[in-house]
């Protein structure tokens, strides 16, 4: 079955310098190439690792769920501070473990900045899971069909089309031309708001499952005849995406082609785009869509020619994607609470005051644990260790706090996120940031929506000099705290 990743830092998350990269000469492309170079090689995880990474597959970490046709759930999680997306299949999917592993390993060899890359998998017993890079800025469907503040700009829509064509071209060049059910939900946006193609679509939802789960009106005609997906079928689906980008709606291809033939093009264009593009630009995109939607598969273009045709159409190429999308670029753009500000200032004294003040009220039942009288002698010793740790923590004797809290944790009788949080800060006070980070992550495993854990991770990452990751953790803490305040 292959070796498991028992030590993430040395096996999975070490920087790699030999991944295949989509070539491009610009400065931005070089920066993206460097980021892909740092991705870990594909690796097999244990179910226990992924259970811990997702806080026990907690409902709070569910990103998306699919129904009977494609039974799977996607969770967000963290492995050694790397944010991940974990796709967990239904137990009936992929009954043949060897086939699943072969498919996953093949997809896992791909490494490209136009993909949300596959980082690993898990194949234990009846469990089948895929692990990919986590993309925090929603799907194309969300930004195109269900936008909240502003519709997607024309320049950004053209960028999405180009980046997707480049992703498909890269996959084709690496022998993975088949993409299953390409649609607006398969396009996700990274930290910079650049569009990427989800690697999950490079594998079927099950070895014997359907390749398409969308409405039959959007399914390539040859698939309806044969039940098989081909490279030309993928191009057909790309054509439907071009229609989505132009219209801002999910229009059946047959209806769109009728409108094109009747020269009723205005009905195909999103009214929100008025004044943002010329007739020639709109006509060219429709021409490309029409070519992709040809009934005969051999008459459709290939991804390389599509990318070449889309390059001259690009506009505002120097404007970052997050600006075109109107999405704040970093956590610094978010209003921060007193705790968030203390993390940015690296003010550990202020963090201590806040942790001391909130006590154990965020532990599930931990605050009342001392009221029980029927403890064994060993249990009483364990609780006494925690009591002594609390006294030392309150009086800022952080070395003693570490020692006492460690005795409590090592006993393993109960899991307290607050104890891990307090020991994390105690480690920070003793200039032990990696140990502090480990404890903050463990606290989050126990309590996945507790904002304190993200803030402590941010403080630890700042101390380790990992600025970008610290900003991400800070943003997560801010979002969790805001949600908490809304419900309290």
């Amino acid at each position: 079955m292959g070796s498991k990743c028992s030590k993430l830092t040395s096996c999975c998350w070490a920087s790699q310098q030999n991944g295949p990269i989509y070539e491009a000469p610009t400065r931005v492309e070089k920066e993206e190439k460097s980021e892909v170079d740092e991705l870990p090689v594909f690796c097999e995880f244990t179910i226990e690792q992924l259970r811990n990474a997702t806080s026990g597959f907690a409902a709070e970490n569910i990103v998306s769920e699919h129904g009977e046709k494609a039974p799977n759930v996607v969770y967000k999680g963290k492995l050694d501070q790397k944010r991940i997306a974990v796709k967990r299949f239904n137990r009936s999917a992929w009954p043949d473990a060897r086939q699943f592993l072969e498919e996953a390993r093949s997809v896992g060899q791909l490494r490209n900045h136009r993909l949300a890359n596959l980082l690993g998998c898990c194949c234990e017993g009846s469990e089948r899971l895929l692990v990919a890079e986590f993309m925090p800025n929603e799907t194309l469907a969300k930004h195109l069909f269900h936008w909240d503040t502003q519709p997607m700009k024309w320049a950004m829509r053209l960028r999405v089309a180009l980046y997707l064509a480049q992703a498909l071209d890269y996959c084709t060049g690496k022998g993975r031309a088949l993409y299953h059910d390409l649609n607006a939900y398969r396009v996700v946006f990274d930290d910079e708001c650049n569009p990427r193609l989800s690697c999950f679509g490079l594998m079927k939802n099950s070895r014997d499952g359907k390749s398409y789960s969308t409405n039959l009106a959007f399914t390539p005609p040859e698939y309806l005849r044969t039940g098989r997906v081909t490279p030309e079928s993928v191009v057909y689906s790309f054509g439907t995406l071009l229609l989505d980008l132009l219209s801002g709606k999910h229009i059946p291809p047959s209806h769109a082609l009728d409108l094109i033939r009747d020269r009723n093009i205005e009905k195909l264009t999103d009214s929100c785009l008025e004044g943002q593009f010329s007739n020639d630009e709109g006509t060219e995109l429709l021409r490309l869509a029409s070519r992709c939607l040809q009934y005969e598969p051999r008459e459709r273009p290939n991804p390389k020619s599509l990318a070449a045709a889309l390059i001259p159409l690009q506009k505002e190429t120097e404007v970052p994607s997050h600006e075109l999308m109107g999405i704040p670029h970093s956590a610094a753009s978010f209003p921060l609470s007193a705790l968030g500000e203390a993390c940015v200032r690296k003010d550990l004294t202020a963090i201590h005051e806040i942790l001391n003040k909130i006590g154990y009220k965020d532990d599930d039942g931990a605050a009342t644990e001392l009221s029980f009288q029927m403890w064994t002698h060993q249990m009483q010793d364990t609780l006494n260790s925690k009591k002594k740790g609390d006294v030392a923590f309150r009086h800022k004797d952080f070395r003693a706090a570490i020692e006492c809290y460690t005795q409590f944790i090592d006993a393993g009788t109960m899991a307290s996120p607050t104890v891990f949080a307090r020991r994390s800060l105690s480690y920070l006070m003793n200039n032990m940031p990696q140990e502090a980070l480990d404890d903050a992550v463990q606290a989050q495993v126990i309590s996945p929506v507790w904002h304190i854990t993200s803030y402590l991770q941010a403080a630890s990452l700042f101390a380790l000099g990992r600025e970008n990751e610290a900003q991400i953790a800070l943003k997560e803490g801010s979002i969790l705290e805001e949600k908490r305040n809304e419900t309290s």
Side-chain angles (χ1 to χ4, degrees), residues 29 255-256 336 344 404:
E29 296 290 336
H255 179 53
L336 294 175
V344 173
C404 294

Side-chain angles (χ1 to χ4, degrees), residues 226-330:
T226 66
R228 296 181 61 185
V229 62
T230 67
E232 292 78 19
S233 307
V234 180
V235 173
Y236 184 94
S237 297
F238 182 81
T240 68
L241 271 177
L242 291 181
L243 291 178
D244 292 348
L245 291 166
L246 185 65
S247 66
K249 298 184 289 289
H250 203 34
I251 298 177
S254 59
H255 179 53
L257 291 172
D258 287 341
L259 291 174
I260 293 171
R261 276 191 289 269
D262 295 340
R263 299 185 183 278
N264 204 348
I265 295 175
E266 66 275 4
K267 285 191 177 181
L268 275 176
T269 55
D270 193 339
S271 59
C272 296
L273 296 173
E274 188 173 352
Q276 293 188 35
F277 65 95
S278 66
N279 287 335
D280 288 345
E281 291 169 351
T283 300
E284 178 61 16
L285 205 64
L286 275 178
R287 186 185 71 82
L288 286 176
S290 299
R291 290 179 60 204
C292 294
L293 296 170
Q294 291 297 307
Y295 185 83
E296 291 296 334
R298 65 177 180 273
E299 295 179 4
R300 299 170 197 158
N302 59 40
K304 188 176 291 295
S305 64
L306 285 169
L310 286 162
I311 288 174
L313 296 179
Q314 299 303 301
K315 304 175 72 174
E316 301 185 56
T317 55
E318 295 302 312
V319 180
S321 294
H322 70 88
E323 286 188 21
L324 289 177
M325 297 280 281
I327 295 176
H329 182 231
S330 69

Side-chain angles (χ1 to χ4, degrees), residues 25-44:
T26 66
R27 175 187 58 80
V28 172
E29 296 290 336
K30 287 177 181 176
E31 290 176 357
E32 290 172 334
K33 178 183 184 300
S34 175
E35 290 177 10
V36 175
D37 279 342
E38 293 176 359
L39 282 177
V41 294
F42 180 86
C43 150
E44 291 175 42

Side-chain angles (χ1 to χ4, degrees), residues 76 78 83 134-138 189-193 322 327-337 340 343-344 444 451 454-455 457-459 461-462 467-483:
K76 63 181 177 180
K78 281 184 183 177
R83 293 180 301 165
F134 179 67
M135 301 288 115
N137 282 310
E138 302 283 359
F189 291 82
D190 64 19
D191 291 297
E192 306 294 324
C193 291
H322 70 88
I327 295 176
H329 182 231
S330 69
S333 305
F334 284 74
L336 294 175
S337 65
C343 292
V344 173
Q444 188 172 51
H451 61 288
S454 293
Y455 282 133
Q457 288 172 49
L461 290 162
F462 278 128
E467 184 79 21
N468 290 339
E469 292 171 74
Q471 291 286 354
I472 291 168
L474 198 63
K475 178 179 178 181
E476 290 176 347
S478 180
I479 292 170
L480 288 172
E481 187 173 16
E482 185 178 351
K483 287 181 179 177

